[in-house]
């Protein structure tokens, strides 16, 4: 996942549209394997939350907020002994946003669509003689 610090910075942005755009770009910067894992996890969590209010007898109490609260410490947490407890609410809200709006975050953002252009892709294809990462 993205770093805990990224999500704390993300929470400090006041404009809701800018906040979502930044979160979307943070997700785009993840390695493909991490994005794929994240997508499967959040699609699953949204599906689980869809059963939270079926009816009084068969519904569960695990709506998106409760799922985000339970899963957050496992996937997004501050490291170190001086981790601030108050920031856990910021992390929970970030997870809640990721679950609620997960289908938006796996589409290429408008500002990066130029990368899919044939001219740009051909530039990358021509430079395939890059040395392997050690």
């Amino acid at each position: 996942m993205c770093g805990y610090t990224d999500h704390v910075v993300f929470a400090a942005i006041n404009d809701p549209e800018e906040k979502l755009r930044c979160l979307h770009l943070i997700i785009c910067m993840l390695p493909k394997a991490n994005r794929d894992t994240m997508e499967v996890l959040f699609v699953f969590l949204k599906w689980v939350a869809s059963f939270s209010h079926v009816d009084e007898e068969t519904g569960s109490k695990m709506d998106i907020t409760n799922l985000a609260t339970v899963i957050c410490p496992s996937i997004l947490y501050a490291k170190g002994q001086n981790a601030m407890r108050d920031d856990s609410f910021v992390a929970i809200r970030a997870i809640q946003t990721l679950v609620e709006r997960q289908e938006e975050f796996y589409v290429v953002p408008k500002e990066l669509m130029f990368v899919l252009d044939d001219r740009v892709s051909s530039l990358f294809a021509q430079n395939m003689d890059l040395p392997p990462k050690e």
Side-chain angles (χ1 to χ4, degrees):
M1 281 267 322
C2 303
Y4 182 82
T5 307
D6 294 334
H7 286 286
V8 172
V9 170
F10 147 79
I13 299 171
N14 292 327
D15 180 25
E17 290 300 317
E18 187 67 15
K19 185 181 285 196
L20 288 175
R21 185 174 119 0
C22 288
L23 185 58
H24 195 170
L25 293 174
I26 289 171
I27 292 168
C28 288
M29 291 188 301
L30 289 171
K32 183 175 179 353
N34 295 41
R35 279 194 322 268
D36 291 346
T37 302
M38 187 173 163
E39 181 178 6
V40 170
L41 175 65
F42 291 127
V43 166
F44 174 73
L45 290 174
K46 192 165 186 178
W47 176 77
V48 169
S50 72
F51 297 104
S52 67
H53 300 291
V54 174
D55 62 33
E56 292 292 321
E57 293 178 16
T58 58
S60 75
K61 294 186 187 216
M62 295 307 286
D63 60 2
I64 290 176
T65 304
N66 290 341
L67 284 169
T69 303
V70 170
I71 198 76
C72 183
S74 298
I75 60 175
L76 188 62
Y77 53 89
K79 294 181 179 162
Q81 294 177 333
N82 296 331
M84 295 176 58
R85 189 168 175 82
D86 292 339
D87 285 344
S88 66
F89 294 110
V90 171
I92 290 168
R93 182 65 191 134
I95 297 297
Q96 185 175 347
T97 301
L98 288 168
V99 174
E100 289 171 346
R101 304 186 71 158
Q102 49 84 26
E103 52 281 316
E104 298 172 29
F105 295 128
Y106 306 109
V107 175
V108 177
K110 293 181 293 189
E111 55 265 36
L112 296 179
M113 286 300 286
F114 75 92
V115 175
L116 299 177
D117 182 15
D118 286 336
R119 291 172 294 180
V120 174
S121 335
S122 65
L123 290 174
F124 289 118
Q126 293 173 0
N127 294 324
M128 294 306 287
D129 58 343
L130 298 173
K133 184 176 179 180
E134 296 296 324

